Amino acid sequence: MQTRRIGDVDVSSIGLGAMPMSIEGRPDEERSIATVHAALDAGVTLIDTADAYHRDADEVGHNETLIAKALASHERGGDVLVATKGGHLRPGDGSWTLDGSPRHLKEACEASLTRLGVEAIGLYQFHRPDPRVPYEDSVGAVRDLLDEGKILMAGISNANPEQIRLANEVLGGRLVSVQNQFSPAFRSSEPELRLCDEHGIAFLPWSPLGGISRAGELGSAHAPFARIAEKYGVSPQRVCLAWMLAKSPVVVPIPGSSRPETIRDSLAATDLVLGADELAELDAA
């Protein structure tokens, strides 16, 4: 497995997005753990989770607990950088709410530490800006957690260029990652990707294949990806991830998966090298 860098840690160039294993339509625990184990067997050393990845109101942190269990039952579980997030909430009715207050973020981090069973979280990310709280206050709480040793690295998610610059300033130049939505259908995060590339900050595209409900339609919705996939005898999803990896060495896609076969196919994108003309065609698609 090829590697890329988040802060001072080398990780697999494609990570595993664990959200589909815990929200609506999730599989049973046995299949989820098999998916995590398949990822580890294939060389994954980055798993993305969050305390808000759950379905019901009384199971906050379901995904974190699941990931901790899966890692504990695999011989390579200790080699994985677990990235989790705080500041998003799910009341249990299918909606998403926000709490970016410093008090909540610090309490959320403590709870995540317990669920993950670690003394310090490898990468902790502020999940989404809360318009009721000054952004610098929310990121300031993450800075405090970093200074206290509760987390080893700090990141942000769903941020614009101004917020990236502000977060890095508040963190004293220690911002290591930005996790934004980016896919063939959602390209408005290109400015953030370019900014991360300029500053050597890891850019983690979430829903890189279009999201849980639309990932299977990638080829039919974006014909050039299907055409190039047919040329190489691979899936359009694999072409998509290879295209992202070629954009910048700071890009580390985290495709969501809840089946061993889909994460294996995603990881094979690291071996697919696309030509300059093909990349330009996909850029224009």
Side-chain angles (χ1 to χ4, degrees):
M1 173 63 68
Q2 299 171 24
T3 62
R4 295 199 166 184
R5 204 154 181 84
I6 298 180
D8 58 358
V9 178
D10 289 326
V11 299
S12 53
S13 54
I14 294 177
L16 169 64
M19 185 178 77
M21 303 180 210
S22 289
I23 63 169
E24 290 79 0
R26 68 194 186 196
D28 59 40
E29 184 175 284
E30 182 179 2
R31 194 179 92 190
S32 291
I33 290 178
T35 300
V36 175
H37 287 180
L40 298 182
D41 289 341
V44 162
T45 56
L46 171 66
I47 295 180
D48 179 76
T49 180
D51 61 358
Y53 294 165
H54 62 91
R55 184 185 61 201
D56 304 323
D58 62 350
E59 56 169 24
V60 175
H62 177 278
N63 199 245
E64 292 176 322
T65 302
L66 175 67
I67 294 305
K69 184 175 182 178
L71 294 179
S73 56
H74 193 281
E75 61 182 5
R76 291 189 53 249
D79 300 332
V80 173
L81 173 64
V82 176
T84 192
K85 299 180 285 295
H88 230 345
L89 302 90
R90 299 203 78 194
D93 59 0
S95 66
W96 297 78
T97 60
L98 300 168
D99 190 344
S101 66
R103 177 179 177 178
H104 171 75
L105 289 170
K106 292 180 179 183
E107 291 175 348
C109 179
E110 292 289 351
S112 292
L113 281 164
T114 299
R115 285 188 291 263
L116 293 171
V118 295
E119 294 183 0
I121 292 170
L123 172 59
Y124 195 71
Q125 305 158 99
F126 176 39
H127 204 153
R128 187 178 288 272
D130 182 347
R132 301 169 303 173
V133 181
Y135 196 69
E136 57 268 31
D137 290 354
S138 299
V139 178
V142 179
R143 177 200 59 215
D144 293 346
L145 293 168
L146 189 59
D147 291 342
E148 294 164 7
K150 299 290 181 68
I151 66 175
L152 302 180
M153 295 188 292
I156 54 176
S157 184
N158 302 297
N160 62 34
E162 180 182 356
Q163 290 165 336
I164 294 172
R165 294 187 182 96
L166 178 56
N168 201 31
E169 180 181 340
V170 172
L171 289 164
R174 295 177 291 173
L175 179 68
V176 303
S177 66
V178 173
Q179 183 180 142
N180 275 19
Q181 184 176 8
F182 185 72
S183 69
F186 191 96
R187 306 195 189 194
S188 61
S189 284
E190 283 272 12
E192 289 82 8
L193 193 163
R194 289 195 297 270
L195 181 60
C196 288
D197 180 69
E198 291 171 10
H199 292 275
I201 298 169
F203 183 84
L204 281 55
W206 62 263
S207 288
L209 304 178
I212 297 171
S213 62
R214 293 182 293 276
E217 303 167 4
L218 192 152
S220 58
H222 305 278
F225 288 85
R227 186 191 67 76
I228 293 173
E230 183 177 3
K231 171 185 174 182
Y232 287 102
V234 301
S235 69
Q237 291 77 16
R238 198 181 301 185
V239 171
C240 175
L241 294 171
W243 164 68
M244 286 189 181
L245 289 170
K247 281 189 165 292
S248 166
V250 304
V251 174
V252 185
I254 45 171
S257 181
S258 62
R259 293 184 293 154
E261 56 268 31
T262 55
I263 189 58
R264 290 191 192 105
D265 184 72
S266 290
L267 297 173
T270 60
D271 297 324
L272 178 59
V273 179
L274 302 174
D277 291 345
E278 293 167 332
L279 292 171
E281 181 182 357
L282 296 176
D283 283 339

